[in-house]
């Protein structure tokens, strides 16, 4: 059973500190004036810089957060996860998504002692061989034409993670060149409009469909799969299905019954949660078909690098642990119910939707591992949008409305740099000027005195005051490529685990998604049967 933090000494001290901050009106202007404090809150790991000095964390609170981590035995929980213990206790499963990107020679055993890395590499080798054949034109469709377009069918983690990676690499130089005119579409929503959009401009003769469903019974996915099967069969005949459809699933019998050959099934395992599955065949099959296996291998290597850091670094220098403790402080002690993820990079436009699922499906819980009710607030609502788009959407609320802790992500170099003659700054420099300015604006704000000093009319002063004291962290990275993308993914996956470890909840089940699906089935059976 995982310990909880609610009644530990550090938890009580943190609660007292949060109360004292509120009473004394401690402001980030004061906290940021302490240079020694700020220095302690900037951590660099292999070129990835985390600056959390703009969080509302006084000097004395930081060691109390580390004490909290120690009191919940956080380091042991990380090792329990790494070693394959069944920390997903409600389903009696190991949690081993890190094995999906492990080096071939690594050993990660599940709760039954099986070396999962050997299983992973059997599938990866199969994916490489298949994707190489499709991309080279050795594997062709029913009419002999090359399969240049892919439609990946899946929902939840079978969609959000792969689409996030696909979009992030579309404008990366190496990935773009490797794509070479290929197209990848995603079909998730059972709404027939999504089918129309996914197939728009595609020809069944040159299209390969990847059906992603662990059990091959997910209602929305299977309805979409049958719809795509009909789309192919209508033009090419039912015998063409075997050439134009493959599956990522564990249910061989159901897949074969559907019409897909057993040799075209790519497996995964019950120790991989859907929202953590992008590094499995769920993501690797469509991504390798689009970008080639070598690009995907770089992505997996980046995730592995962050895994290794998470498993080995002490708490004070461990990026996921630091971000997780900040998240716990903001949600449970300062009482902030939301959190914004703000990448200043358009390529990360699907990062926030993916992390919404990773975080909210994992930590959106009302009970602890032992079944007892949580006594305080846990998982926050996550949302986000790339900068600078978000600035013209919801930053008004962040600056002058509710306090929303934020995570900014920026890159020193752009995937697609542009410089125009006569412009004072390059496009990327303009973007990064905003990346650096927004956290300061949130933290420091603008006082009434500063407004008056600028000659602002008195009747407008209240409207132009920014109270500041709005917390944020900044993550600065050299450049977004496949390797760094893997690091980012793993960082946020492990942040979620850290927060769950502290709250004493199971971050790896998702019973909350079940009731609505059951009721929908009942409604459908009674309402639309005729």
């Amino acid at each position: 059973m995982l310990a909880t933090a609610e009644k530990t000494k550090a938890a009580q001290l943190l609660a007292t500190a949060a109360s004292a901050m509120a009473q004394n009106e401690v402001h980030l202007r004061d906290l940021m004036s302490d240079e020694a404090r700020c220095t302690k809150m900037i951590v660099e790991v292999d070129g990835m810089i985390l600056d959390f000095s703009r969080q509302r964390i006084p000097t004395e609170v930081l060691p109390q957060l580390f004490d909290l981590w120690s009191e919940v035995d956080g380091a042991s929980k990380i090792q329990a996860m790494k070693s394959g213990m069944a920390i997903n206790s409600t389903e009696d499963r190991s949690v081993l998504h890190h094995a999906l990107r492990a080096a071939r020679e690594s050993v990660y055993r599940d709760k039954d002692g099986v070396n999962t890395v050997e299983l992973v590499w059997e599938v990866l080798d199969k994916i490489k061989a298949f994707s190489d054949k499709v991309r080279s034109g050795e594997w062709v469709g029913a009419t002999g034409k090359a399969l240049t377009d892919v439609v990946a069918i899946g929902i939840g983690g079978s969609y959000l993670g792969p689409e996030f990676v696909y979009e992030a690499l579309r404008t990366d130089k190496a990935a773009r060149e490797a794509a070479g005119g290929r197209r990848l579409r995603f079909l998730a929503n059972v709404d027939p409009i999504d089918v129309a959009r996914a197939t728009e401009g595609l020809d069944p003769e040159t299209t390969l469909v990847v059906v992603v469903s662990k059990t091959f019974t997910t209602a929305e996915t299977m309805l979409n799969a049958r719809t795509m099967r009909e789309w192919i069969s209508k033009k090419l005949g039912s015998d063409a299905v075997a050439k134009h459809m493959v599956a990522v699933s564990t249910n061989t019998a159901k897949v074969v019954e559907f019409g897909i050959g057993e040799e075209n099934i790519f497996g995964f395992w019950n120790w991989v949660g859907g929202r953590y599955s992008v590094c499995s065949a769920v993501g690797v099959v469509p991504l390798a078909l689009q970008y080639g296996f070598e690009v995907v291998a770089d992505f997996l290597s980046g995730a592995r690098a962050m895994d290794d850091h998470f498993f080995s670094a002490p708490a004070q220098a461990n990026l996921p642990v630091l971000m997780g403790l900040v998240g716990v402080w903001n949600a449970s002690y300062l009482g902030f119910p939301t959190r914004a993820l703000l990448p200043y990079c358009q390529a990360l436009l699907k990062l926030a939707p993916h992390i919404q699922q990773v975080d909210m499906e994992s930590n959106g819980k009302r009970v602890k591992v032992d079944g007892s009710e949580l006594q305080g607030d846990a998982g926050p609502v996550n949302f986000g949008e790339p900068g600078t788009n978000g600035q013209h959407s919801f930053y008004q609320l962040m600056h002058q409305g509710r306090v929303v802790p934020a995570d900014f992500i920026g890159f020193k170099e752009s995937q697609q740099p542009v410089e125009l003659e006569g412009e004072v700054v390059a496009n990327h420099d303009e973007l990064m000027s905003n990346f650096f300015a927004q956290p300061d604006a949130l933290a420091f704000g603008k006082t009434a005195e500063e407004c008056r000093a600028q000659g602002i009319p008195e009747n407008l002063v209240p409207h132009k005051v920014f109270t500041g004291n709005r917390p944020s962290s900044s993550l600065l990275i050299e450049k977004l490529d496949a390797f760094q993308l893997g690091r980012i993914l793993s960082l946020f996956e492990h942040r979620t685990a850290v927060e769950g470890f502290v709250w004493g909840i199971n971050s790896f089940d998702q019973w909350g998604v079940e009731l609505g699906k059951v009721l929908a089935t009942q409604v459908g059976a009674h309402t639309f049967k005729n």
Side-chain angles (χ1 to χ4, degrees):
M1 182 182 297
L2 302 180
T4 64
E6 292 169 3
K7 296 181 180 179
T8 67
K9 179 180 178 182
Q12 293 170 354
L13 290 173
L14 288 167
T16 300
S19 177
M21 283 181 63
Q23 291 177 3
N24 298 329
E25 298 183 348
V26 176
H27 199 284
L28 274 167
R29 296 189 197 103
D30 303 315
L31 297 177
M32 292 295 294
S33 67
D34 185 341
E35 186 174 340
R37 169 195 168 275
C38 293
T39 299
K40 291 179 181 178
M41 295 184 180
I42 300 175
V43 179
E44 184 269 333
V45 176
D46 296 331
M48 181 180 282
I49 302 171
L50 172 66
D51 180 355
F52 61 105
S53 61
R54 290 170 185 79
Q55 294 289 344
R56 284 163 56 172
I57 300 176
T59 303
E60 67 275 9
V61 164
L62 189 57
Q64 292 171 1
L65 286 170
F66 293 132
D67 288 344
L68 176 66
W69 181 242
S70 297
E71 289 177 0
V72 300
D73 207 10
S76 295
K77 292 176 183 177
I78 291 177
Q79 293 308 309
M81 174 179 164
K82 178 183 178 182
S83 65
M85 291 178 62
I87 63 171
N88 179 357
S89 56
T90 62
E91 297 178 294
D92 192 28
R93 293 175 179 174
S94 304
V95 175
L96 288 165
H97 43 275
H98 48 280
L100 300 171
R101 51 259 189 156
R104 190 184 293 268
E105 65 276 9
S106 298
V107 176
Y108 287 126
R109 299 191 183 279
D110 66 11
K111 68 184 184 68
D112 298 316
V114 176
N115 181 12
T116 59
V117 180
E118 292 180 357
L119 303 177
V120 167
W121 275 95
E122 286 178 10
V123 175
L124 288 176
D125 289 339
K126 183 177 179 180
I127 295 171
K128 183 181 187 306
F130 176 73
S131 60
D132 285 350
K133 286 180 181 179
V134 173
R135 288 171 54 82
S136 68
E138 181 181 346
W139 177 290
V140 294
T143 62
K145 291 186 177 181
L147 299 173
T148 56
D149 304 315
V150 173
V151 176
I153 304 175
I155 199 164
S158 299
Y159 154 63
L160 292 167
E163 186 183 46
F164 147 63
V165 177
Y166 163 68
E167 290 288 351
L169 295 179
R170 276 181 61 194
T171 43
D172 171 69
K173 185 175 185 294
R176 187 174 186 176
E177 290 177 355
R182 299 185 63 84
R183 291 184 289 186
L184 174 59
R185 306 271 180 85
F186 294 91
L187 174 54
N189 201 323
V190 75
D191 187 335
I193 292 172
D194 208 16
V195 176
R197 291 185 174 188
T199 58
E200 184 178 8
L202 300 187
D203 185 339
E205 287 189 84
T206 57
T207 301
L208 178 69
V209 176
V210 181
V211 184
V212 182
S213 176
K214 182 180 289 187
T215 62
F216 228 65
T217 59
T218 306
E220 302 97 325
T221 297
M222 294 317 301
L223 181 54
N224 279 333
R226 291 190 294 272
T227 303
M228 290 302 296
R229 182 177 61 183
E230 175 64 19
W231 181 74
I232 292 167
S233 300
K234 188 173 181 179
K235 180 172 183 178
L236 305 178
S238 58
D239 290 342
V241 170
K243 276 285 190 179
H244 289 263
M245 299 188 80
V246 300
V248 177
S249 181
T250 59
N251 193 336
T252 301
K254 284 283 187 183
V255 175
V256 172
E257 179 185 333
F258 183 87
I260 296 173
E262 187 171 347
E263 69 279 8
N264 294 327
I265 304 172
F266 302 91
F268 59 118
W269 309 270
N270 67 9
W271 40 261
V272 182
R275 55 194 174 275
Y276 298 100
S277 67
V278 65
C279 294
S280 73
V282 168
V284 175
V285 171
L287 292 168
L289 287 165
Q290 176 68 11
Y291 294 127
F293 190 83
E294 289 71 21
V295 170
V296 179
D298 286 343
F299 165 69
L300 297 177
S301 295
R304 178 169 66 247
M306 184 57 70
D307 293 340
D308 292 343
H309 165 72
F310 178 56
F311 291 143
S312 62
Q316 291 79 358
N318 192 309
L319 297 185
V321 172
L322 289 169
M323 291 179 67
L325 292 176
V326 168
V328 170
W329 170 248
N330 282 330
S332 296
Y333 293 96
L334 298 186
F336 299 132
T338 58
R339 172 166 61 193
L341 179 53
L342 310 171
Y344 275 64
C345 176
Q346 186 63 23
L348 293 180
L349 78 163
K350 293 297 183 179
L351 174 61
H354 178 49
I355 299 306
Q356 279 178 354
Q357 188 202 13
V358 168
D359 198 83
M360 294 167 70
E361 195 169 79
S362 296
N363 290 342
K365 307 291 172 62
R366 54 173 287 274
V367 298
K368 297 180 290 187
V369 172
D370 62 6
S372 61
E373 290 199 26
L374 285 165
Q375 299 303 304
D377 295 322
V381 174
N382 288 255
F383 72 99
E385 180 75 16
T388 55
N389 295 353
Q391 293 176 198
H392 297 273
S393 175
F394 51 80
Y395 279 34
Q396 166 63 45
L397 180 144
M398 292 178 62
H399 280 290
Q400 291 186 313
R402 295 177 181 271
V403 177
V404 180
D407 292 308
F408 291 86
I409 303 176
F411 299 89
K412 296 178 184 179
E413 297 181 37
S414 173
Q415 288 181 335
Q416 297 287 322
V418 174
E419 292 190 25
L420 299 179
E421 185 176 349
E423 292 288 343
V424 177
V425 294
N427 295 42
H428 185 67
D429 294 339
E430 176 71 19
L431 177 72
M432 292 305 289
S433 296
N434 284 274
F435 167 81
F436 289 114
Q438 289 293 333
D440 277 347
L442 288 167
F444 293 101
K446 187 174 184 179
T447 66
E449 291 72 19
E450 290 170 328
C451 289
R452 294 186 181 101
Q454 292 179 348
I456 293 173
E458 190 62 31
N459 66 310
L460 292 180
V461 167
H463 301 279
K464 296 201 173 188
V465 166
F466 292 74
T467 58
N469 206 29
R470 295 160 188 265
S472 69
S473 297
S474 297
L475 198 65
L476 183 62
I477 305 166
E478 190 67 33
K479 185 178 181 179
L480 181 62
D481 56 20
F483 183 84
Q484 296 298 342
L485 185 66
R487 293 180 78 197
I488 292 168
L489 171 75
S490 177
L491 171 63
F492 282 96
E493 286 179 344
H494 294 319
R495 178 190 71 172
T496 296
V498 167
E499 292 174 346
F501 290 156
V502 175
W503 287 319
I505 61 180
N506 182 355
S507 299
F508 307 104
D509 63 8
Q510 57 282 328
W511 300 107
V513 306
E514 298 296 324
L515 179 59
K517 292 195 297 185
V518 171
L519 294 179
T521 301
Q522 295 172 358
V523 169
H526 287 86
T527 307
F528 303 112
K529 62 181 178 180
N530 295 321

PDB file of all heavy atoms in Angstrom, residues 482-498:
ATOM      1  N   ALA A 482      13.106  15.041 -32.551  1.00  0.00           N
ATOM      2  CA  ALA A 482      12.508  13.798 -32.064  1.00  0.00           C
ATOM      3  C   ALA A 482      13.036  13.418 -30.687  1.00  0.00           C
ATOM      4  O   ALA A 482      12.270  12.986 -29.813  1.00  0.00           O
ATOM      5  CB  ALA A 482      12.762  12.674 -33.069  1.00  0.00           C
ATOM      6  N   PHE A 483      14.326  13.581 -30.466  1.00  0.00           N
ATOM      7  CA  PHE A 483      14.926  13.212 -29.179  1.00  0.00           C
ATOM      8  C   PHE A 483      14.371  14.072 -28.047  1.00  0.00           C
ATOM      9  O   PHE A 483      13.953  13.557 -26.999  1.00  0.00           O
ATOM     10  CB  PHE A 483      16.449  13.351 -29.263  1.00  0.00           C
ATOM     11  CG  PHE A 483      17.173  12.920 -28.011  1.00  0.00           C
ATOM     12  CD1 PHE A 483      17.484  11.588 -27.791  1.00  0.00           C
ATOM     13  CD2 PHE A 483      17.539  13.854 -27.051  1.00  0.00           C
ATOM     14  CE1 PHE A 483      18.154  11.190 -26.635  1.00  0.00           C
ATOM     15  CE2 PHE A 483      18.194  13.470 -25.896  1.00  0.00           C
ATOM     16  CZ  PHE A 483      18.508  12.133 -25.683  1.00  0.00           C
ATOM     17  N   GLN A 484      14.364  15.388 -28.245  1.00  0.00           N
ATOM     18  CA  GLN A 484      13.863  16.281 -27.200  1.00  0.00           C
ATOM     19  C   GLN A 484      12.367  16.091 -26.977  1.00  0.00           C
ATOM     20  O   GLN A 484      11.871  16.238 -25.858  1.00  0.00           O
ATOM     21  CB  GLN A 484      14.167  17.736 -27.553  1.00  0.00           C
ATOM     22  CG  GLN A 484      15.647  18.068 -27.631  1.00  0.00           C
ATOM     23  CD  GLN A 484      16.384  17.865 -26.311  1.00  0.00           C
ATOM     24  OE1 GLN A 484      15.773  17.796 -25.240  1.00  0.00           O
ATOM     25  NE2 GLN A 484      17.709  17.760 -26.374  1.00  0.00           N
ATOM     26  N   LEU A 485      11.649  15.746 -28.030  1.00  0.00           N
ATOM     27  CA  LEU A 485      10.220  15.477 -27.886  1.00  0.00           C
ATOM     28  C   LEU A 485       9.989  14.294 -26.956  1.00  0.00           C
ATOM     29  O   LEU A 485       9.095  14.316 -26.101  1.00  0.00           O
ATOM     30  CB  LEU A 485       9.598  15.203 -29.253  1.00  0.00           C
ATOM     31  CG  LEU A 485       8.078  15.026 -29.277  1.00  0.00           C
ATOM     32  CD1 LEU A 485       7.381  16.326 -28.913  1.00  0.00           C
ATOM     33  CD2 LEU A 485       7.613  14.535 -30.651  1.00  0.00           C
ATOM     34  N   GLY A 486      10.809  13.251 -27.104  1.00  0.00           N
ATOM     35  CA  GLY A 486      10.712  12.111 -26.198  1.00  0.00           C
ATOM     36  C   GLY A 486      10.984  12.496 -24.763  1.00  0.00           C
ATOM     37  O   GLY A 486      10.308  12.025 -23.836  1.00  0.00           O
ATOM     38  N   ARG A 487      11.957  13.361 -24.549  1.00  0.00           N
ATOM     39  CA  ARG A 487      12.258  13.830 -23.187  1.00  0.00           C
ATOM     40  C   ARG A 487      11.069  14.584 -22.590  1.00  0.00           C
ATOM     41  O   ARG A 487      10.726  14.404 -21.419  1.00  0.00           O
ATOM     42  CB  ARG A 487      13.489  14.746 -23.194  1.00  0.00           C
ATOM     43  CG  ARG A 487      14.798  14.072 -23.550  1.00  0.00           C
ATOM     44  CD  ARG A 487      15.934  15.075 -23.513  1.00  0.00           C
ATOM     45  NE  ARG A 487      16.363  15.365 -22.150  1.00  0.00           N
ATOM     46  CZ  ARG A 487      17.094  16.436 -21.804  1.00  0.00           C
ATOM     47  NH1 ARG A 487      17.426  17.334 -22.717  1.00  0.00           N
ATOM     48  NH2 ARG A 487      17.464  16.620 -20.549  1.00  0.00           N
ATOM     49  N   ILE A 488      10.446  15.440 -23.409  1.00  0.00           N
ATOM     50  CA  ILE A 488       9.300  16.218 -22.927  1.00  0.00           C
ATOM     51  C   ILE A 488       8.159  15.288 -22.536  1.00  0.00           C
ATOM     52  O   ILE A 488       7.537  15.447 -21.475  1.00  0.00           O
ATOM     53  CB  ILE A 488       8.859  17.227 -24.005  1.00  0.00           C
ATOM     54  CG1 ILE A 488       9.922  18.309 -24.197  1.00  0.00           C
ATOM     55  CG2 ILE A 488       7.517  17.863 -23.629  1.00  0.00           C
ATOM     56  CD1 ILE A 488       9.708  19.171 -25.422  1.00  0.00           C
ATOM     57  N   LEU A 489       7.854  14.329 -23.389  1.00  0.00           N
ATOM     58  CA  LEU A 489       6.780  13.381 -23.087  1.00  0.00           C
ATOM     59  C   LEU A 489       7.032  12.669 -21.773  1.00  0.00           C
ATOM     60  O   LEU A 489       6.169  12.635 -20.878  1.00  0.00           O
ATOM     61  CB  LEU A 489       6.654  12.347 -24.207  1.00  0.00           C
ATOM     62  CG  LEU A 489       5.703  11.187 -23.889  1.00  0.00           C
ATOM     63  CD1 LEU A 489       4.261  11.638 -23.975  1.00  0.00           C
ATOM     64  CD2 LEU A 489       5.967   9.989 -24.785  1.00  0.00           C
ATOM     65  N   SER A 490       8.215  12.093 -21.615  1.00  0.00           N
ATOM     66  CA  SER A 490       8.547  11.342 -20.410  1.00  0.00           C
ATOM     67  C   SER A 490       8.520  12.229 -19.174  1.00  0.00           C
ATOM     68  O   SER A 490       8.072  11.810 -18.098  1.00  0.00           O
ATOM     69  CB  SER A 490       9.926  10.695 -20.575  1.00  0.00           C
ATOM     70  OG  SER A 490      10.321  10.010 -19.416  1.00  0.00           O
ATOM     71  N   LEU A 491       8.965  13.466 -19.316  1.00  0.00           N
ATOM     72  CA  LEU A 491       8.964  14.411 -18.197  1.00  0.00           C
ATOM     73  C   LEU A 491       7.549  14.599 -17.643  1.00  0.00           C
ATOM     74  O   LEU A 491       7.323  14.506 -16.431  1.00  0.00           O
ATOM     75  CB  LEU A 491       9.525  15.753 -18.665  1.00  0.00           C
ATOM     76  CG  LEU A 491       9.421  16.934 -17.693  1.00  0.00           C
ATOM     77  CD1 LEU A 491      10.218  16.675 -16.431  1.00  0.00           C
ATOM     78  CD2 LEU A 491       9.889  18.225 -18.371  1.00  0.00           C
ATOM     79  N   PHE A 492       6.584  14.829 -18.519  1.00  0.00           N
ATOM     80  CA  PHE A 492       5.223  15.068 -18.046  1.00  0.00           C
ATOM     81  C   PHE A 492       4.548  13.781 -17.585  1.00  0.00           C
ATOM     82  O   PHE A 492       3.727  13.805 -16.662  1.00  0.00           O
ATOM     83  CB  PHE A 492       4.412  15.782 -19.126  1.00  0.00           C
ATOM     84  CG  PHE A 492       4.712  17.255 -19.205  1.00  0.00           C
ATOM     85  CD1 PHE A 492       5.629  17.744 -20.126  1.00  0.00           C
ATOM     86  CD2 PHE A 492       4.114  18.140 -18.333  1.00  0.00           C
ATOM     87  CE1 PHE A 492       5.920  19.097 -20.190  1.00  0.00           C
ATOM     88  CE2 PHE A 492       4.393  19.494 -18.383  1.00  0.00           C
ATOM     89  CZ  PHE A 492       5.310  19.977 -19.320  1.00  0.00           C
ATOM     90  N   GLU A 493       4.864  12.653 -18.200  1.00  0.00           N
ATOM     91  CA  GLU A 493       4.345  11.385 -17.701  1.00  0.00           C
ATOM     92  C   GLU A 493       4.792  11.156 -16.257  1.00  0.00           C
ATOM     93  O   GLU A 493       3.983  10.790 -15.389  1.00  0.00           O
ATOM     94  CB  GLU A 493       4.847  10.231 -18.570  1.00  0.00           C
ATOM     95  CG  GLU A 493       4.196  10.129 -19.933  1.00  0.00           C
ATOM     96  CD  GLU A 493       4.736   8.994 -20.768  1.00  0.00           C
ATOM     97  OE1 GLU A 493       5.825   8.459 -20.423  1.00  0.00           O
ATOM     98  OE2 GLU A 493       4.106   8.617 -21.762  1.00  0.00           O
ATOM     99  N   HIS A 494       6.073  11.385 -15.999  1.00  0.00           N
ATOM    100  CA  HIS A 494       6.603  11.114 -14.656  1.00  0.00           C
ATOM    101  C   HIS A 494       6.177  12.181 -13.645  1.00  0.00           C
ATOM    102  O   HIS A 494       6.043  11.880 -12.452  1.00  0.00           O
ATOM    103  CB  HIS A 494       8.122  10.988 -14.706  1.00  0.00           C
ATOM    104  CG  HIS A 494       8.598   9.795 -15.483  1.00  0.00           C
ATOM    105  ND1 HIS A 494       7.983   8.573 -15.385  1.00  0.00           N
ATOM    106  CD2 HIS A 494       9.622   9.635 -16.366  1.00  0.00           C
ATOM    107  CE1 HIS A 494       8.622   7.701 -16.169  1.00  0.00           C
ATOM    108  NE2 HIS A 494       9.601   8.324 -16.782  1.00  0.00           N
ATOM    109  N   ARG A 495       5.964  13.412 -14.100  1.00  0.00           N
ATOM    110  CA  ARG A 495       5.407  14.423 -13.182  1.00  0.00           C
ATOM    111  C   ARG A 495       4.065  13.943 -12.644  1.00  0.00           C
ATOM    112  O   ARG A 495       3.771  14.076 -11.441  1.00  0.00           O
ATOM    113  CB  ARG A 495       5.224  15.761 -13.895  1.00  0.00           C
ATOM    114  CG  ARG A 495       4.604  16.836 -12.994  1.00  0.00           C
ATOM    115  CD  ARG A 495       4.189  18.088 -13.722  1.00  0.00           C
ATOM    116  NE  ARG A 495       3.012  17.892 -14.567  1.00  0.00           N
ATOM    117  CZ  ARG A 495       2.365  18.881 -15.186  1.00  0.00           C
ATOM    118  NH1 ARG A 495       2.803  20.136 -15.069  1.00  0.00           N
ATOM    119  NH2 ARG A 495       1.308  18.628 -15.939  1.00  0.00           N
ATOM    120  N   THR A 496       3.248  13.395 -13.535  1.00  0.00           N
ATOM    121  CA  THR A 496       1.942  12.888 -13.130  1.00  0.00           C
ATOM    122  C   THR A 496       2.085  11.790 -12.083  1.00  0.00           C
ATOM    123  O   THR A 496       1.345  11.765 -11.087  1.00  0.00           O
ATOM    124  CB  THR A 496       1.190  12.348 -14.366  1.00  0.00           C
ATOM    125  OG1 THR A 496       0.938  13.442 -15.258  1.00  0.00           O
ATOM    126  CG2 THR A 496      -0.118  11.700 -13.972  1.00  0.00           C
ATOM    127  N   ALA A 497       3.028  10.880 -12.293  1.00  0.00           N
ATOM    128  CA  ALA A 497       3.249   9.796 -11.333  1.00  0.00           C
ATOM    129  C   ALA A 497       3.686  10.338  -9.978  1.00  0.00           C
ATOM    130  O   ALA A 497       3.210   9.876  -8.930  1.00  0.00           O
ATOM    131  CB  ALA A 497       4.289   8.820 -11.874  1.00  0.00           C
ATOM    132  N   VAL A 498       4.578  11.317  -9.984  1.00  0.00           N
ATOM    133  CA  VAL A 498       5.066  11.908  -8.732  1.00  0.00           C
ATOM    134  C   VAL A 498       3.912  12.498  -7.936  1.00  0.00           C
ATOM    135  O   VAL A 498       3.786  12.277  -6.722  1.00  0.00           O
ATOM    136  CB  VAL A 498       6.140  12.978  -9.025  1.00  0.00           C
ATOM    137  CG1 VAL A 498       6.421  13.828  -7.781  1.00  0.00           C
ATOM    138  CG2 VAL A 498       7.425  12.327  -9.513  1.00  0.00           C
TER     139      VAL A 498
END
